[in-house]
Amino acid sequence: MDGNGRWAKQRFLPRAMGHQRGGEAVRRLIRGVKDMGLEALTLYAFSSENWRRSAEEISDLMSLMKRFILNDLDEIAAHGVRIRIIGDYKAFAPDVVALLDNAIEKTANNRVMTLAVALNYGSQQEIARAATAAAAKGEITPESIEAELYTSDLPPLDLLIRTSGEVRLSNFLLWQAAYAEMWFTDVLWPDFTPEHLKEAMAAFGQRERRFGGR
Ligand code: IPE
Ligand code: MG
């Protein structure tokens, strides 16, 4: 979900405002996708590299996340959305961890859609962790590693969207993206709407996927 800072900068607003509007875009998207028949949606909210940001910005992001859970969890839960967290979120402050654990627990039996949120997530760290776990149990194979990834209970990644004009993966779902279709857009995250997602899905529907076959 990239481009919050640039969105704010273009308007001579503080970065925190960009993050706040980014939060609104998340809310709008979750409301918009619940009837679209998506099995799972994963949002990259905080990377393991985002700790390099200023203490003030990190604290803004954490308060935003807390407020989001407090305000929106009931609505999300009522729509049958199951919340999953991927990443080492236990490294967050205890109050944030408690809110996240509650959100996971409260929605665990929901089946309409899975909303996975990547928090303190880094794909290389995920793969190293999964390989270590796989090795501890036996042979290291693509399957044994895959079974230990945070995403092991999520469907295969079909479509990966990157906003704000960047054309790189930035340590997101590297393993899972092996055969994913990519969609890059210049739209800054705060401006991203369910219509943009529909546009990306329509393009996805036109692509011919061969998975290495012909
Ligand atoms: C993404 O927006 C938000 C998070 C990383 C949480 P950025 O803050 O990276 O926005 P830009 O890249 O400065 O525009
Ligand atoms: Mg950025």
Side-chain angles (χ1 to χ4, degrees):
M1 300 190 284
D2 205 3
N4 295 351
R6 277 161 285 171
W7 185 94
K9 197 171 177 191
Q10 284 173 359
R11 288 161 180 79
F12 306 100
L13 293 168
R15 292 183 66 83
M17 275 299 287
H19 293 316
Q20 197 185 310
R21 293 298 287 263
E24 302 281 335
V26 172
R27 184 172 291 121
R28 186 169 63 210
L29 190 66
I30 296 172
R31 285 183 180 152
V33 300
K34 59 181 202 293
D35 311 314
M36 279 166 58
L38 274 189
E39 207 178 330
L41 175 72
T42 301
L43 298 173
Y44 201 178
F46 193 90
S47 79
S48 35
E49 287 73 36
N50 284 150
W51 295 112
R52 294 185 194 142
R53 300 196 177 197
S54 71
E56 187 192 352
E57 184 167 0
I58 292 171
S59 145
D60 286 342
L61 288 167
M62 294 298 152
S63 336
L64 188 67
M65 187 160 64
K66 282 194 270 184
R67 262 184 288 131
F68 192 91
I69 300 171
L70 290 169
N71 292 330
D72 288 60
L73 180 61
D74 286 348
E75 181 184 332
I76 291 172
H79 285 128
V81 175
R82 177 177 75 124
I83 294 175
R84 283 271 288 105
I85 308 293
I86 65 170
D88 184 19
Y89 72 98
K90 301 274 183 189
F92 286 164
D95 58 336
V96 178
V97 175
L99 281 171
L100 292 168
D101 280 335
N102 174 56
I104 294 167
E105 202 179 305
K106 193 169 165 175
T107 61
N109 298 318
N110 288 352
R111 289 290 172 267
V112 174
M113 192 189 96
T114 297
L115 174 68
V117 187
L119 290 172
N120 196 17
Y121 175 85
S123 190
Q124 293 178 336
Q125 295 86 326
E126 175 190 36
I127 294 167
R129 176 182 171 274
T132 306
K137 290 184 190 169
E139 210 189 336
I140 298 188
T141 63
E143 293 74 27
S144 72
I145 290 177
E146 197 145 310
E148 301 295 338
L149 295 174
Y150 290 123
T151 52
S152 60
D153 66 339
L154 293 177
L157 179 63
D158 286 324
L159 173 63
L160 192 147
I161 298 173
R162 173 100 198 216
T163 58
S164 84
E166 309 291 0
V167 191
R168 53 175 173 261
L169 292 182
S170 297
N171 208 14
F172 187 51
L173 302 179
L174 302 179
W175 179 289
Q176 296 85 343
Y179 284 101
E181 296 293 327
M182 311 274 173
W183 174 261
F184 296 98
T185 173
D186 288 336
V187 174
L188 301 176
W189 178 255
D191 293 326
F192 194 86
T193 63
E195 290 309 312
H196 292 117
L197 178 62
K198 282 182 194 155
E199 197 187 317
M201 285 169 67
F204 171 82
Q206 296 298 313
R207 300 214 186 146
E208 192 196 342
R209 303 181 81 197
R210 291 186 297 276
F211 301 96
R214 59 174 306 245

